Amino acid sequence: GARGAFGRPAPLPQTGWERLRELWRLDEQQQFPEETVNIAKSAFTAGVVGWLYGGLPAFVSARKAFIESSHGEIFQNRADAVQSAHRAGLRSFIRYGWRWSWRVAAFATVFNVVSTGLSAYRDKTTISNFAAAGAFTGALFRVHLGLQGLAGGVVFGTAFGVPAGGLLMAMYGLAGETLQEKRSRERRELYEQRLAEWQSRLSRTEILGQTESNAQGRPEMERATEL
């Protein structure tokens, strides 16, 4: 507590590994950095998109197949037949939606973790970070198919990472700065503010100590004069 109140503020991270560790460290408000929060948000969004992408066509296809194959079946009424068709479609929606959901979410998460980590380590955001992240993610998801699958994954991942990175860089250009630049600026401003506060406290402490020393020395001088 005393060190946090009176000690010199911790210096800014100087190495890539220090910046990487900061991505997974809670700040004073017990919050993760914006980049880390965005990784979690993008994973959730990718999961929803993947579920809809895989589930909706499966729902329509299963419902249609149920209707075509149930002409000879007997239902209690029309509502019962409609509900049965919907249940068949819903089962396919859940089954195939989940298959796509976790794959898309995992791909997006690995891609964002690698690209964000590269940007933090290099202390700059470039399209090459996204291309490398795409190549690594594509290779990771196709490595079980052997060398040919690995090469195809690299090509697919790079082809995905370059336009995705270009789109994000364009958005950063409209915003005026990248997330890495914003974080570096905010971190520098916070450090300068804390350093100024620390120097101000240090100056007041020195003045207070000098005042107390003068106050203690005055009675001694008076006693010496009396003698």
Side-chain angles (χ1 to χ4, degrees):
R3 182 176 180 84
F6 299 103
R8 185 184 181 92
L12 296 174
Q14 300 298 322
T15 66
W17 292 113
E18 291 177 350
R19 289 189 292 269
L20 277 177
R21 285 195 294 268
E22 276 200 340
L23 290 176
W24 317 107
R25 187 180 301 165
L26 294 172
D27 58 18
E28 295 178 351
Q29 287 76 34
Q30 298 300 306
Q31 296 179 346
F32 284 104
E34 184 178 359
E35 299 96 321
T36 308
V37 175
N38 287 342
I39 290 175
K41 290 181 178 179
S42 64
F44 176 78
T45 302
V48 173
V49 172
W51 201 304
L52 294 177
Y53 178 82
L56 289 179
F59 176 86
V60 175
S61 177
R63 187 173 180 274
K64 182 179 179 181
F66 178 84
I67 294 174
E68 292 177 350
S69 62
S70 61
H71 288 301
E73 296 186 18
I74 300 176
F75 298 96
Q76 296 179 357
N77 48 51
R78 180 178 177 83
D80 182 36
V82 173
Q83 291 177 0
S84 298
H86 280 303
R87 283 194 295 269
L90 184 60
R91 286 192 296 269
S92 293
F93 176 81
I94 294 175
R95 179 182 179 183
Y96 292 97
W98 166 247
R99 286 184 179 181
W100 276 95
S101 178
W102 76 264
R103 286 178 171 85
V104 175
F107 186 94
T109 300
V110 174
F111 174 81
N112 285 320
V113 167
V114 175
S115 61
T116 301
L118 286 173
S119 297
Y121 185 84
R122 300 177 64 191
D123 201 20
K124 61 180 180 180
T125 302
T126 62
I127 293 182
S128 62
N129 293 346
F130 299 100
F136 174 83
T137 308
L140 182 64
F141 274 73
R142 303 282 291 182
V143 67
H144 64 284
L145 299 179
L147 186 60
Q148 186 175 359
L150 184 67
V154 170
V155 173
F156 170 79
T158 305
F160 169 81
V162 171
L167 178 61
L168 289 174
M169 293 297 294
M171 294 173 61
Y172 293 149
L174 294 176
E177 59 182 356
T178 65
L179 287 179
Q180 186 62 34
E181 292 170 346
K182 178 183 177 182
R183 178 165 174 76
S184 298
R185 174 179 56 79
E186 292 177 345
R187 186 167 47 203
R188 183 177 61 254
E189 292 174 352
L190 180 60
Y191 172 76
E192 293 173 351
Q193 177 185 349
R194 290 177 175 175
L195 183 61
E197 293 174 352
W198 173 77
Q199 291 174 341
S200 177
R201 288 195 300 268
L202 184 62
S203 177
R204 290 197 299 268
T205 302
E206 291 176 350
I207 294 174
L208 180 60
Q210 185 177 359
T211 302
E212 291 178 351
S213 178
N214 293 337
Q216 293 175 357
R218 190 175 296 110
E220 295 179 356
M221 293 178 61
E222 292 177 353
R223 285 196 299 271
T225 303
E226 292 176 355
L227 294 175

